[in-house]
Amino acid sequence: MRDKYKYIGPAYDFLSHLYSGKNIHRCKTAMLDVETVKPGDRILFAGAGHGRDAIRAAELGAEVTVVDLSETMLRKFAAAQQKEAPRLKIRRIHSDIMNVEEVEQYDMVVANFFLNVFDEEMMVWVLEHLIRLGKPNAKVVVGDFCYPSGNPLARMFKKTYWYLAVLIFWLFANNAFHKIYNYPEHMQRLGLRVADKKHFRLLNMDCYWSILGRKQA
């Protein structure tokens, strides 16, 4: 399995903080609290990222599984866990998420800054697969760049801000180069009920959002 994040992965945390301050971290953990995560809940994270969202879920008592195709990102996640929460047990799977066939096994499925690596057709296919992994009434969380809204100047800034980020990952990780996705629309089209949205601001503009969808029973 080719590791697309072999070169940019070691700089992932640095780039995240440089580009957003703490907003990406806040966005990733926004839907993880005592109201949404109960002890014993099974939660799957698609993509390791910096891993602190998965660690947060485990701290709340969840049984956490992290899936990533990148050995580099899984190694970084393991190092972060060893440093910050060595006693927590978190299952790690080195695989393509599409090869995970644990259908209707999870109380929550989380895709933070993961779906944006795909072109739109593939993104919808992956999101549909993630929904299948959730139990009836499961929560499905997507955190990512916010769909452009507001006045023309604000929309132009948000698009420029996004395209600079996607260009870096297109160049160094061969991720898809595409527009910002309207995740709530896609989630609703695939049968989820959007139950909550939380926005995170940069320069007084909403640049990131976390969307909580509920799977129908």
Side-chain angles (χ1 to χ4, degrees):
M1 293 180 287
R2 187 170 70 90
D3 189 346
K4 293 169 56 176
Y5 281 71
K6 181 177 180 180
Y7 300 108
I8 200 168
Y12 185 91
D13 286 2
F14 171 76
L15 291 172
S16 171
H17 289 300
L18 179 68
Y19 210 65
S20 76
K22 294 184 178 180
N23 281 301
I24 288 178
H25 172 69
R26 293 188 184 113
C27 181
K28 286 185 170 187
T29 57
M31 298 298 180
L32 301 171
D33 56 38
V34 294
E35 298 299 320
T36 56
V37 179
K38 304 302 180 186
D41 280 357
R42 297 193 68 198
I43 302 181
L44 180 139
F45 287 82
H50 56 43
R52 289 173 183 85
D53 45 357
I55 292 170
R56 169 64 175 159
E59 288 172 338
L60 291 167
E63 297 179 14
V64 174
T65 296
V66 174
V67 182
D68 205 304
L69 187 59
S70 168
E71 184 179 357
T72 299
M73 297 307 291
L74 283 176
R75 188 166 57 245
K76 280 184 60 64
F77 169 70
Q81 182 191 347
Q82 180 61 33
K83 179 181 178 181
E84 299 177 20
R87 287 184 291 275
L88 292 176
K89 183 179 180 181
I90 297 177
R91 178 186 178 212
R92 297 191 297 270
I93 298 178
H94 181 207
S95 178
D96 187 324
I97 190 64
M98 300 304 288
N99 292 332
V100 176
E101 294 292 347
E102 297 170 341
V103 175
E104 295 192 351
Q105 295 299 306
Y106 292 94
D107 299 284
M108 177 186 283
V109 179
V110 182
N112 283 327
F113 297 86
F114 174 73
L115 295 171
N116 63 29
V117 309
F118 307 108
D119 63 46
E120 191 161 15
E121 183 179 1
M122 183 65 181
M123 181 275 292
V124 172
W125 188 35
V126 173
L127 178 56
E128 191 172 21
H129 178 69
L130 294 178
I131 294 169
R132 285 198 299 269
L133 300 180
K135 299 176 181 178
N137 292 316
K139 305 174 187 75
V140 178
V141 176
V142 176
D144 219 305
F145 284 75
C146 194
Y147 192 73
S149 61
N151 61 53
L153 184 61
R155 292 198 300 271
M156 183 176 69
F157 171 82
K158 292 175 188 179
K159 289 178 181 179
T160 303
Y161 184 67
W162 157 252
Y163 279 116
L164 286 174
V166 76
L167 177 63
I168 292 170
F169 282 85
W170 175 72
L171 288 171
F172 291 98
N174 197 32
N175 288 353
F177 191 88
H178 57 80
K179 64 182 181 180
I180 302 175
Y181 296 140
N182 190 334
Y183 291 108
E185 281 193 1
H186 286 291
M187 293 166 77
Q188 289 173 324
R189 193 174 297 119
L190 292 174
L192 298 177
R193 176 178 63 85
V194 174
D196 195 9
K197 298 177 191 173
K198 295 182 180 179
H199 293 82
F200 301 87
R201 300 172 72 81
L202 186 70
L203 300 178
N204 207 34
M205 288 180 280
D206 293 335
C207 288
Y208 302 96
W209 58 358
S210 182
I211 307 114
L212 174 66
R214 295 298 296 257
K215 184 174 178 178
Q216 304 303 303

